[in-house]
Amino acid sequence: MEGDSLSMDAIGHVALIRTPRGMGVKKTPEHRAWRNMRARCYYPKAKGYRYYGGRGISVCERWRVSFVAFLDDVGCRPSPRHSLDRIDTYGNYEPGNVRWATLETQRRNRRPTLEHHRKKELDNRPDFLQNRPVSS
């Protein structure tokens, strides 16, 4: 972690600690989210891998190799009700596509929900309706 700085919230939520291997990061909710994000994308035995890495979802190189970079970009989790969420569910874990979101927000951002809304929008387009076969 040489040369890296570590983001901290007002109460020092994330802090460097000494470990047998040198300096490390406490296992905070942010660190667990980072670790789980990488596992979902790169470890086939991880829970949910088929929905992430199995679909080609990846983690940007900057975040994949550095928790500090991830934390600098995403920030600390606002509350225990928040967890990591990709804004575009078809996109990768990268700056601009990741946020801390509540379960309610995440439920509205699921692939089946988005696909349902896209289909509904398509079904209601006048040009789509004109090309539909007429049932007898």
Side-chain angles (χ1 to χ4, degrees):
M1 292 182 22
E2 186 176 324
D4 283 342
S5 62
L6 189 64
S7 299
M8 299 176 79
D9 67 9
I11 59 170
H13 189 60
V14 176
L16 288 175
I17 58 169
R18 288 213 176 274
T19 66
R21 294 183 182 173
M23 295 300 283
V25 178
K26 284 187 177 178
K27 303 303 186 240
T28 62
E30 293 85 357
H31 191 268
R32 278 191 303 276
W34 174 75
R35 200 175 61 234
N36 292 339
M37 166 188 72
R38 294 183 318 144
R40 284 191 299 268
C41 292
Y42 299 108
Y43 184 58
K45 293 183 180 182
K47 182 180 178 183
Y49 172 83
R50 70 182 184 152
Y51 302 112
Y52 296 88
R55 288 183 36 234
I57 304 297
S58 64
V59 178
C60 71
E61 180 71 11
R62 175 176 152 81
W63 293 357
R64 192 175 60 77
V65 299
S66 172
F67 169 69
V68 172
F70 167 78
L71 191 62
D72 281 342
D73 291 345
V74 179
C76 291
R77 185 172 76 155
S79 81
R81 293 181 49 232
H82 288 78
S83 60
L84 205 56
D85 180 49
R86 283 176 300 119
I87 297 164
D88 173 3
T89 59
Y90 295 92
N92 295 320
Y93 286 99
E94 59 193 3
N97 194 41
V98 174
R99 64 184 171 192
W100 295 108
T102 62
L103 188 56
E104 180 181 315
T105 299
Q106 290 185 19
R107 282 186 180 139
R108 288 193 306 263
N109 194 33
R110 293 176 59 199
R111 277 184 298 127
T113 303
L114 293 175
E115 288 167 1
H116 171 76
H117 288 298
R118 286 186 184 128
K119 183 181 182 317
K120 202 171 185 178
E121 287 171 9
L122 183 63
D123 286 348
N124 292 324
R125 280 187 14 214
D127 59 327
F128 183 76
L129 292 172
Q130 289 174 3
N131 295 326
R132 269 191 164 159
V134 178
S135 57
S136 35

